Amino acid sequence: MYIHTIIFYMQNRFLSTEFFIILLFFALPPIVFPQALPTERVIHFSWMTFILAAFAGVLLWQLKHTKTNNLNTTPVSGENEKRKTDVQKVRAFLHQGQCLFAFGSLLVFAGLFELTGRFLFHTDDLTHLLPPVTFLGWINAIFGTICAAFYEEVLYRVYLPDAIKQLLKKRNHTENNNDAPSQKIMLICEAAAVILFALAHRYAGWLSVANAMAAGIILRRCYYKTGALWTNLTAHVAYNTVMTTIMLMHH
């Protein structure tokens, strides 16, 4: 109870500082210091991938408990509990549909941008990947793929849009005494998160940036529709797996 109160206080009191730190150390570095992508490399994920995933887990835990603190919980009767369970089943079914739609859309746009690069600019953005040579290498690659997707979904689809909205909403309330975020504020929040996500992929070329921008919109829409992180994570991991398989075959 006390830790929830502390988290809630810190979230509201130091939101600007927290946002600046996360922006400075996590969102901006891949944009300001992009690393050149080699044309041929072995599938490998460093410990930094796991550290970023752990950071995302802590951040998600904080956001979850802050949100829980803002909710008013009331006792649930047996009949209401059954109705709630039925609603959850229907919602899970609809969420699966949103997940499949997002996954299919990601593949379609990736294919379109790849064809655009090949036929209009005569480029081949596919990196030639070499498969791991050991069983431990495969485990590391699979776990690393999940960790990287988890980190990106928490940061770009959950935290950044909400944090930017809260900061702009706070400023708007100070100037206009209005708690409701305007459509302009909502648009800025969504666009900023998508642009940051897209520019984080400029190490792979500008076609990859365009593809990442489309992916950011698709995945944010998926999260907006479901409110469930697992739908985004599943679609993201499935997409990365397909693209990695294609790059392995391309070699």
Side-chain angles (χ1 to χ4, degrees), residues 7-232:
I7 291 174
F8 177 75
Y9 173 78
M10 294 288 288
Q11 179 74 11
N12 287 275
R13 179 66 179 83
F14 300 109
L15 177 61
S16 299
T17 304
E18 175 193 273
F19 175 77
F20 176 77
I21 292 174
I22 291 177
L23 189 70
L24 182 63
F25 289 99
F26 296 97
L28 291 182
I31 300 174
V32 180
F33 307 106
Q35 296 182 354
L37 190 66
T39 56
E40 185 172 88
R41 63 190 176 96
V42 178
I43 299 178
H44 174 72
F45 294 93
S46 66
W47 280 104
M48 181 57 66
T49 305
F50 307 131
I51 293 173
L52 291 176
F55 160 76
V58 173
L59 187 61
L60 185 64
W61 178 83
Q62 174 191 342
L63 294 172
K64 178 181 177 181
H65 284 275
T66 302
K67 183 177 180 181
T68 303
N69 240 359
N70 286 323
L71 296 178
N72 294 321
T73 56
T74 55
V76 181
S77 64
E79 182 179 350
N80 289 336
E81 182 65 31
K82 182 179 181 303
R83 188 178 305 169
K84 181 180 178 181
T85 302
D86 293 338
V87 170
Q88 288 175 342
K89 290 179 179 178
V90 174
R91 188 174 296 167
F93 176 77
L94 295 176
H95 288 181
Q96 291 174 12
Q98 291 292 339
C99 179
L100 290 174
F101 177 81
F103 172 61
S105 300
L106 291 174
L107 292 180
V108 168
F109 276 95
L112 290 175
F113 283 113
E114 178 64 22
L115 290 175
T116 300
R118 285 178 181 270
F119 290 104
L120 294 184
F121 305 107
H122 305 289
T123 61
D124 183 2
D125 281 344
L126 285 179
T127 298
H128 295 193
L129 290 180
L130 300 175
V133 295
T134 64
F135 176 74
L136 183 61
W138 277 107
I139 296 298
N140 183 48
I142 294 171
F143 189 53
T145 299
I146 297 173
C147 287
F150 175 71
Y151 165 74
E152 289 185 340
E153 290 306 311
V154 172
L155 181 63
Y156 294 104
R157 248 65 71 186
V158 182
Y159 176 78
L160 286 178
D162 184 66
I164 297 172
K165 181 179 73 174
Q166 292 298 326
L167 289 172
L168 293 180
K169 179 181 175 182
K170 184 178 180 181
R171 178 179 177 182
N172 185 61
H173 175 73
T174 302
E175 294 178 352
N176 304 320
N177 294 321
N178 185 13
D179 284 329
S182 64
Q183 289 187 349
K184 181 180 178 181
I185 289 179
M186 296 298 293
L187 182 61
I188 292 175
C189 299
E190 300 299 333
V194 169
I195 291 172
L196 287 172
F197 176 69
L199 291 178
H201 291 77
R202 76 184 186 95
Y203 65 90
W206 290 106
L207 278 176
S208 293
V209 170
N211 183 44
M213 183 169 293
I217 295 172
I218 292 167
L219 290 169
R220 177 58 182 169
R221 175 194 176 278
C222 182
Y223 183 75
Y224 180 79
K225 289 287 186 179
T226 65
L229 186 64
W230 72 263
T231 56
N232 285 56

